[in-house]
Amino acid sequence: MFCNQCEQTAKGSGCTKIGVCGKNDDLASLQDLLTHAMQGLSLVAVEGRKVGIVDNEIDRFALEAIFACLTNVDFDPQRFQQWISKAVSFRETLTTRVAAAGGKSEFDAKAASFTPGANLAALIAQGKELDFINSLDDNEDLRSLKQITLYGIRGLAAYSDHAAILGKENESIYTYIYQAMAEMTNTGQPLNELVGLALKCGETNLKAMELLDAGNTETYGHPTPTEVPLGAKAGKAILISGHDLRDLELLLQQTEGKGINIYTHGEMLPCHSYPELKKYSHFYGHFGTAWQNQAKEFPEFPGAILFTTNCIQKPAETYKDNVFTTGLVGWPGLVHIGSDKDFSPVIAKALELPGFTADSDKGSVLTGFARNTVLGVADKVIEAVKSKAIRHFFLVGGCDGAKPGRNYYTNFVEKVPQDCMVLTLACGKFRFFDKKLGDIGGIPRLLDVGQCNDAYSAIQIAVALAGAFECDVNDLPLSLVLSWYEQKAVVILLTLFSLGIKDIRLGPSLPAFISPNVLNVLVENFACKPVAETPEEDLATILG
């Protein structure tokens, strides 16, 4: 195997024996093979659109199949076998339809004629023989740009899938994904073309995140500032992790009146701030911190646990029987809740387990500072900046992870001067989410914008402030200090680049898939830089 798509990749270069995420050589081969099969389907889908053939069932499948290859989503080989078979089946039926409509139906690329092996062992062998990453291009820089785009597409597919679940889709997103996946079957393209393809991924993702924001807010209302308990209430319990608001809503509906309290984990924390979700009286509090701590935290949770999207790790034997999956997330041997979303097995397990035996008070955290809330007090913010009560804004957010070096972000927030504000989002905030930083003129100094899925909110806040001050976003007293782990973070970074946002600090380490020459392009065009060894160095430079 060779996989270097996440920040924790082995030795900072690539996992070659087993993934740091927990996937083995066989699963890595199946993911590569599914990506290869999706390239073949994309070649045909591009031609289909030229002759007016668009199939939404195939489009939705494409998002799911690409999303499934994102880090910490699905580890079940049987599901990848099904996805590979379905990708090739869709390719063949679509090819017939395109040919009948007079479109191109023959291609030189191997992906367009790929025939899957007869069984799982044969598929694994095909995936290993493929040597997918090295096959992208012999040129290191072109291969690097293709990887940036591929990983960006995986993040784009994730956000687009979240939005589509809520009924929000856009043809331009599917068109870009197919075109980009098809383009990566070619080799030797000019460097600037592949740079443009990567930036187009970020531009397309802005549309996807706008759709997701609309889906969330139109369905569940705009988030409002909400105190979320970190302790427990005596009674039966279910812990829900991941990102999916619709799954949470269905779980709340199905558990109403059953004496079960619902707790969030990880990126589900901001769900407490949505009016249509917080109305459920048994939607109680938040348990635990970020995804990488689940092996330490989950044995302490006395109820059932439901994963809705990504961020799953290998469940320990001590709590494995209590864990359920739904949607695209999966692990071999766990009970998976299918598309019918009947959470009866989860509920039964929760009722079987002891639950919390007594109330506990562990304080609370404040969430719900999405764009609608922040822009609602924009006049106060603007006046505070003009009066110099607020000197600077720091957006400190992104993915958390287990690799050493992430204490930088905790230390950074702790050392931000009292006349500065900190905005945060995604699971990186769990390094400091419970810090009591006080306020400036009644506005909390630490504002939780939401999930990584809510990056659109942060962008809209910045754009609105730039409009109010009649300046460019890059001229605002705003600095972005970001952490990354997986491919959602990659596509958000591409989105920021596509908007022309510069001087971003990224850490705790730079992506292994960015070649030195491509890194130079990013530095020269966007002044992107790694975080310094200490937060004091970066704060001195920024505020100097």
Side-chain angles (χ1 to χ4, degrees):
M1 69 180 289
F2 180 78
C3 181
N4 61 359
Q5 70 175 0
C6 84
E7 192 270 337
Q8 293 182 180
T9 194
K11 299 179 181 179
S13 58
C15 296
T16 57
K17 295 181 179 179
I18 188 168
V20 174
C21 65
K23 70 180 176 183
N24 59 26
D25 184 22
D26 290 350
L27 187 68
S29 298
L30 291 171
Q31 290 185 347
D32 286 349
L33 198 63
L34 177 57
T35 304
H36 182 63
M38 289 307 301
Q39 286 182 304
L41 176 57
S42 296
L43 284 162
V44 184
V46 168
E47 297 304 319
R49 275 161 164 72
K50 292 178 182 178
V51 291
I53 296 177
V54 177
D55 190 317
N56 187 252
E57 182 185 6
I58 295 177
D59 294 344
R60 290 290 288 110
F61 167 77
L63 295 183
E64 293 178 353
I66 295 170
F67 183 5
C69 296
L70 187 142
T71 304
N72 291 93
V73 176
D74 202 298
F75 294 79
D76 189 345
Q78 300 294 335
R79 294 188 79 190
F80 280 94
Q81 181 179 15
Q82 294 167 11
W83 282 319
I84 291 167
S85 176
K86 197 168 184 179
V88 173
S89 176
F90 274 139
R91 186 196 75 205
E92 291 302 295
T93 56
L94 189 59
T95 298
T96 301
R97 293 168 62 190
V98 171
K104 180 180 177 181
S105 58
E106 295 185 5
F107 307 89
D108 293 331
K110 293 180 180 178
S113 57
F114 159 65
T115 300
N119 52 46
L120 194 56
L123 291 173
I124 290 168
Q126 287 178 315
K128 291 178 180 179
E129 183 181 358
L130 187 61
D131 191 19
F132 181 75
I133 295 301
N134 288 322
S135 74
L136 288 172
D137 211 289
D138 292 334
N139 181 289
E140 178 188 26
D141 299 327
L142 301 185
R143 185 169 63 249
S144 174
L145 283 165
K146 288 179 180 179
Q147 285 185 265
I148 293 170
T149 301
L150 174 61
Y151 302 150
I153 289 172
R154 287 178 180 171
L156 169 60
Y159 290 129
S160 300
D161 184 63
H162 292 318
I165 287 170
L166 295 171
K168 299 293 183 180
E169 299 177 77
N170 186 286
E171 169 61 22
S172 65
I173 294 172
Y174 297 118
T175 297
Y176 168 78
I177 289 175
Y178 290 135
Q179 289 176 341
M181 292 291 284
E183 182 61 32
M184 281 186 283
T185 64
N186 298 320
T187 58
Q189 299 99 318
L191 188 75
N192 64 325
E193 283 188 13
L194 291 180
V195 170
L197 193 68
L199 292 178
K200 183 70 174 177
C201 185
E203 179 185 324
T204 306
N205 186 60
L206 183 63
K207 169 59 69 175
M209 301 200 79
E210 181 183 15
L211 291 173
L212 178 55
D213 179 89
N216 285 337
T217 56
E218 289 174 16
T219 307
Y220 303 109
H222 282 279
T224 58
T226 304
E227 287 278 354
V228 183
L230 297 177
K233 181 187 290 187
K236 304 294 185 178
I238 293 175
L239 185 64
I240 184 167
S241 190
H243 303 79
D244 197 283
L245 274 62
R246 174 60 57 79
D247 285 337
L248 171 58
E249 179 189 32
L250 294 172
L251 181 66
L252 288 167
Q253 290 173 353
Q254 293 177 38
T255 51
E256 197 166 21
K258 287 184 167 60
I260 301 173
N261 294 314
I262 306 301
Y263 298 79
T264 53
H265 172 263
E267 290 243 52
M268 296 298 280
L269 168 63
C271 297
H272 288 275
S273 63
Y274 285 91
E276 291 301 309
L277 296 175
K278 64 194 292 186
K279 70 182 183 182
Y280 291 91
S281 61
H282 62 301
F283 187 25
Y284 180 67
H286 187 79
F287 179 91
T289 52
W291 65 272
Q292 78 278 1
N293 298 320
Q294 59 193 262
K296 293 186 295 183
E297 296 170 347
F298 285 3
E300 304 301 318
F301 189 77
I305 300 166
L306 175 65
F307 276 94
T308 66
T309 51
N310 49 314
C311 300
I312 193 171
Q313 290 181 297
K314 181 179 180 179
E317 291 298 323
T318 53
Y319 63 86
K320 182 177 180 180
D321 291 342
N322 303 339
V323 181
F324 300 80
T325 60
T326 191
L328 296 177
V329 69
W331 193 279
L334 297 186
V335 175
H336 184 79
I337 308 300
S339 58
D340 62 353
K341 299 296 180 180
D342 180 359
F343 294 122
S344 297
V346 187
I347 295 169
K349 177 60 70 172
L351 293 173
E352 171 192 323
L353 293 167
F356 290 100
T357 57
D359 293 350
S360 65
D361 185 358
K362 297 183 179 180
S364 62
V365 292
L366 192 60
T367 188
F369 290 94
R371 60 184 174 87
N372 206 51
T373 295
V374 175
L375 296 181
V377 294
D379 55 339
K380 294 181 180 179
V381 173
I382 293 166
E383 182 55 38
V385 173
K386 289 180 177 178
S387 68
K388 302 192 184 305
I390 297 177
R391 178 170 35 150
H392 204 84
F393 298 89
F394 292 94
L395 175 60
V396 186
C399 308
D400 203 1
K403 191 175 178 180
R406 290 180 180 270
N407 284 340
Y408 165 95
Y409 297 93
T410 309
N411 296 335
F412 188 98
V413 169
E414 290 177 340
K415 290 177 170 57
V416 167
Q418 293 294 312
D419 59 355
C420 298
M421 306 282 292
V422 177
L423 287 80
T424 189
L425 76 166
C427 63
K429 65 170 164 275
F430 289 108
R431 294 278 168 173
F432 49 81
F433 79 128
D434 55 353
K435 303 291 181 184
K436 305 303 180 184
L437 302 185
D439 65 88
I440 298 177
I443 303 171
R445 286 187 57 231
L446 179 60
L447 301 178
D448 180 7
V449 178
Q451 299 180 338
C452 68
N453 292 16
D454 299 312
Y456 179 78
S457 262
I459 291 171
Q460 291 307 301
I461 290 169
V463 169
L465 288 175
F469 287 109
E470 298 182 344
C471 68
D472 185 85
V473 170
N474 291 311
D475 297 323
L476 285 171
L478 168 68
S479 297
L480 278 63
V481 184
L482 307 181
S483 57
W484 80 284
Y485 169 67
E486 40 91 313
Q487 297 79 64
K488 286 183 176 179
V490 173
V491 79
I492 289 174
L493 187 63
L494 291 175
T495 298
L496 296 174
F497 288 158
S498 74
L499 291 168
I501 296 176
K502 299 181 178 181
D503 203 29
I504 298 169
R505 285 165 170 77
L506 182 67
S509 62
L510 294 179
F513 50 81
I514 295 184
S515 69
N517 288 334
V518 172
L519 179 60
N520 285 338
V521 170
L522 298 180
V523 171
E524 290 173 5
N525 287 277
F526 303 104
C528 183
K529 55 181 68 68
V531 295
E533 288 190 15
T534 67
E536 290 90 343
E537 292 177 63
D538 279 331
L539 283 167
T541 302
I542 293 168
L543 299 174

